[in-house]
Amino acid sequence: MSFFYENRTSDFFFRNKPDGGALQFSSHLHYHIELVYMRKGQTKVLLNAESFMLEDDSIFVAFPNQIHGYESYAPESYQLLILNPDVLPELGNITGDRIPSCPILHHVSDHPDLLALLEMIRAEYAGSPSPLINSALRGLLLTFFSKLFRLMSFNGQKGNDSRAIRAIIEFCTQNYHRELSLELLSRELHISKYYISHLFCDRLGIRFNDYINFWRVSAACRHLSENVLSITQISTAVGFGTIRTFNRAFIKQMGISPSEYRRNHLSSAPTEWMQNTLALSASAILSALSSNCYTVTVENCIPSTNLALKNIALSGAAHGTVLLADCQTEGRGRLGRSFYSPGKSGLYMSVLLRPNLPLSVAAGRVTTMAAVAVARAITRISGLNVQIKWVNDLLLKNKKVCGILAEAVSIGEENAIILGIGINVGKCTFPPELIHIATTLYANGKKVDRNLLAAAVLDELAALDPARPQEYMPEYRALSATRGKEIRVLPHSGEPYDALALDITDDGALLVEKNGQTVCVSSGEVSIRNTPDHQP
Ligand code: BTN
């Protein structure tokens, strides 16, 4: 069984997924309690070594450090709640020391008080801009879980299983490359080795040695795709005593040898690659993601991720479906332009969003929201500061490093926004017409891992909501390269004119001063005086 440890940073998360969602997430564990109320639909739930069907009108609860994952069978309507148990110390005797004997509660609508509380929690969370738990929310959560736990039965005292598992996992993830044994863990953590071994087998469903090898092989995969160390050096670096044990463990987990893996993941010569970026991979993105609202697919080379995702959206795909491509042959830009999308050096990603807003409002808001999310992600991953040029270009030292294209899809009942993001990441040779106006993160000597950047963009997007522009528009305005500048407006139709950019509205329109009058520009584009793309 393979799974990963998810280090959650916020105390609380609530997702309300109306009809058409898909509850799909690979096996993971965390210190938080996770609860799903399946209103309608069918998902297979994996919990430690067992699996259950979660169907209409049922609640599933994963307790701290239980390995859990979901395999969606049909479009679902569900609510997902993830909570740090430390927020409710009153329930510590249950959440810390026991586990449910059955993790599923059926016929939830027989308990209307539970559903009413869940609805109040949803409303309180939606109305509170902060991920921190306020006292009203805490009260609701305490009442909800107290009532729920009264309806469930629990296995007898488990001692301090949960805290012990957390300590063991933290220790292993930080020290897997050292020589590890149950004896060493027992000495370091002051826990009996028999108890540790029992926790692995009974609670985590995996043998200690297999667990350590899982971390070592995962780390080896990263090294193998970087092509810096030799296979023998990698074997030692990740903690294998001999190359033989490394090969054996690697083949057991990955199904191929380390050298085959390296061949498959390095398509260009090493020296050329060193100037480029790491291979894009859905699993690397998923393991770097903190949010669990996405399904991610990576393609090699396709015409356009926006175009492909549009078709997928029309067949009913869920909010949070993400498509990336290593290269695009017909990358689309705004105003019918193309977007230069060479292989191995860019991040070309489209995200399917189904916001709870009229599409006409959502498209403008999603564009500005995405600009803030991408700016945050770039700064977090590369340390570089970017600016936003109205409406959707990200600039690095006055040159375009990222373009964003939000396209509305509406056919019959299918309403969605396809949010396309293109970031120039690695070394690339721009065609002559772009040399003076485009740049890449690599131009500043930053070698950025596209997988980490993709995960950071998705996490930053998940933290924002187009229905709450007050949470990101102040940042958009602060990062604006346009606001307060002398600009040339190039309207959709009509003659270009000079103006002073005054401000950007919450819906993404640009307010300009033209001949002493304030004019609202909601389409077309602008160029900023004294910058490389200014069009006099
Ligand atoms: C622009 O600069 O005008 C917007 C460019 C948007 C490019 C991205 S790359 C991923 C997605 N797929 C596309 O075909 N376009 C967007």
Side-chain angles (χ1 to χ4, degrees):
M1 173 175 17
S2 83
F3 57 89
F4 64 95
Y5 187 75
E6 191 189 12
N7 203 1
R8 298 199 62 87
T9 45
S10 64
D11 281 341
F12 185 59
F13 173 83
F14 193 98
R15 170 165 296 279
N16 185 38
K17 197 80 180 171
D19 285 351
L23 186 53
Q24 178 85 30
F25 204 70
S26 49
S27 289
H28 63 293
L29 73 162
H30 41 62
Y31 181 63
H32 288 39
I33 296 176
E34 184 162 318
L35 177 144
V36 176
Y37 169 49
M38 179 63 74
R39 271 196 224 98
K40 204 159 179 38
Q42 212 183 27
T43 285
K44 183 166 147 194
V45 181
L46 312 164
L47 185 73
N48 289 345
E50 294 179 85
S51 65
F52 304 83
M53 274 324 274
L54 179 62
E55 292 175 309
D56 294 5
D57 198 27
S58 311
I59 279 179
F60 160 75
V61 193
F63 261 41
N65 295 320
Q66 290 194 297
I67 302 169
H68 56 285
Y70 307 95
E71 284 174 16
S72 174
Y73 272 45
E76 286 119 5
S77 158
Y78 66 87
Q79 293 184 316
L80 168 72
L81 179 163
I82 305 179
L83 172 73
N84 181 346
D86 294 345
V87 167
L88 304 179
E90 298 87 340
L91 300 179
N93 62 334
I94 299 180
T95 56
D97 298 338
R98 304 178 195 195
I99 49 169
S101 18
C102 171
I104 296 196
L105 177 74
H106 297 284
H107 309 299
V108 181
S109 44
D110 290 351
H111 311 280
D113 50 341
L114 272 186
L115 291 183
L117 279 160
L118 209 49
E119 179 49 29
M120 283 168 13
I121 291 168
R122 187 202 61 75
E124 184 63 37
Y125 180 65
S128 132
S130 151
L132 294 176
I133 295 196
N134 62 31
S135 55
L137 189 51
R138 205 187 87 79
L140 289 168
L141 286 164
L142 183 58
T143 320
F144 172 78
F145 277 104
S146 309
K147 281 182 187 286
L148 176 69
F149 290 165
R150 258 180 254 135
L151 298 169
M152 299 176 76
S153 59
F154 295 88
N155 282 347
Q157 285 293 114
K158 278 273 170 186
N160 286 326
D161 274 12
S162 192
R163 273 181 290 277
I165 291 176
R166 189 185 195 187
I168 291 166
I169 287 173
E170 269 173 17
F171 188 83
C172 292
T173 45
Q174 284 159 18
N175 295 285
Y176 63 85
H177 51 282
R178 291 171 54 194
E179 205 177 312
L180 284 188
S181 61
L182 284 175
E183 287 74 15
L184 182 110
L185 238 72
S186 163
R187 270 200 311 278
E188 296 272 347
L189 301 174
H190 310 288
I191 305 175
S192 131
K193 72 173 193 179
Y194 301 106
Y195 181 47
I196 298 177
S197 162
H198 146 82
L199 288 178
F200 270 101
C201 291
D202 287 8
R203 293 289 304 272
L204 297 176
I206 187 169
R207 288 183 322 130
F208 171 70
N209 282 341
D210 291 338
Y211 180 72
I212 299 300
N213 283 350
F214 168 74
W215 281 105
R216 289 176 175 164
V217 169
S218 307
C221 289
R222 285 196 296 278
H223 286 298
L224 287 165
S225 7
E226 280 170 9
N227 208 20
V228 175
L229 302 178
S230 72
I231 292 185
T232 314
Q233 286 170 323
I234 292 174
S235 159
T236 313
V238 301
F240 285 103
T242 66
I243 188 87
R244 239 178 107 233
T245 44
F246 173 45
N247 277 328
R248 211 176 316 121
F250 196 94
I251 292 171
K252 185 172 167 200
Q253 186 170 321
M254 304 302 298
I256 50 174
S257 69
S259 44
E260 262 178 288
Y261 184 92
R262 171 160 273 176
R263 266 199 304 281
N264 295 345
H265 285 77
L266 288 179
S267 41
S268 47
T271 45
E272 185 193 331
W273 180 85
M274 288 300 288
Q275 294 164 339
N276 256 308
T277 51
L278 296 180
L280 262 187
S281 121
S283 59
I285 296 171
L286 283 170
S287 44
L289 265 174
S290 304
S291 31
N292 61 1
C293 50
Y294 295 109
T295 51
V296 176
T297 306
V298 173
E299 295 285 358
N300 187 12
C301 197
I302 57 175
S304 151
T305 55
N306 261 32
L307 188 61
L309 193 57
K310 244 185 193 181
N311 291 327
I312 298 173
L314 291 174
S315 60
H319 174 96
T321 305
V322 180
L323 180 65
L324 295 100
D326 184 56
C327 99
Q328 298 183 115
T329 50
E330 290 163 36
R332 290 144 70 109
R334 275 185 82 230
L335 309 173
R337 298 205 182 103
S338 61
F339 186 78
Y340 181 60
S341 315
K344 294 193 186 69
S345 68
L347 184 65
Y348 316 118
M349 172 161 88
S350 299
V351 186
L352 170 54
L353 302 173
R354 295 192 186 272
N356 288 331
L357 283 174
L359 276 193
S360 52
V361 180
R365 292 209 186 162
V366 162
T367 305
T368 46
M369 180 187 94
V372 172
V374 177
R376 285 183 184 173
I378 289 179
T379 304
R380 176 146 68 83
I381 297 297
S382 70
L384 296 169
N385 290 318
V386 287
Q387 284 193 299
I388 305 170
K389 178 181 162 238
W390 187 84
V391 50
N392 60 350
D393 288 349
L394 263 61
L395 307 182
L396 181 62
K397 300 205 169 142
N398 283 333
K399 287 184 169 184
K400 177 163 167 172
V401 73
C402 164
I404 295 169
L405 174 66
E407 298 185 273
V409 183
S410 177
I411 293 190
E413 309 255 308
E414 290 300 337
N415 279 336
I417 300 281
I418 307 296
L419 171 63
I421 298 169
I423 310 177
N424 305 324
V425 181
K427 184 180 179 229
C428 83
T429 314
F430 290 109
E433 70 274 19
L434 295 181
I435 281 178
H436 298 293
I437 54 174
T439 188
T440 128
L441 299 178
Y442 186 79
N444 280 51
K446 289 284 169 192
K447 197 160 159 266
V448 171
D449 180 337
R450 286 180 296 170
N451 297 313
L452 292 185
L453 184 59
V457 169
L458 292 171
D459 277 338
E460 295 295 352
L461 278 173
L464 298 174
D465 183 346
R468 296 201 295 264
Q470 69 278 12
E471 281 175 39
Y472 56 83
M473 281 311 290
E475 199 168 335
Y476 182 98
R477 293 186 183 101
L479 292 175
S480 174
T482 313
R483 202 161 156 246
K485 298 279 172 51
E486 296 288 343
I487 58 169
R488 169 148 281 226
V489 179
L490 309 153
H492 237 347
S493 52
E495 285 300 300
Y497 58 89
D498 291 332
L500 172 68
L502 298 174
D503 206 350
I504 296 100
T505 69
D506 280 358
D507 286 335
L510 180 68
L511 300 178
V512 300
E513 187 186 294
K514 177 192 177 192
N515 302 332
Q517 305 249 312
T518 301
V519 177
C520 180
V521 183
S522 49
S523 63
E525 65 175 338
V526 302
S527 70
I528 307 171
R529 187 173 292 214
N530 297 330
T531 64
D533 77 334
H534 184 54
Q535 305 188 6

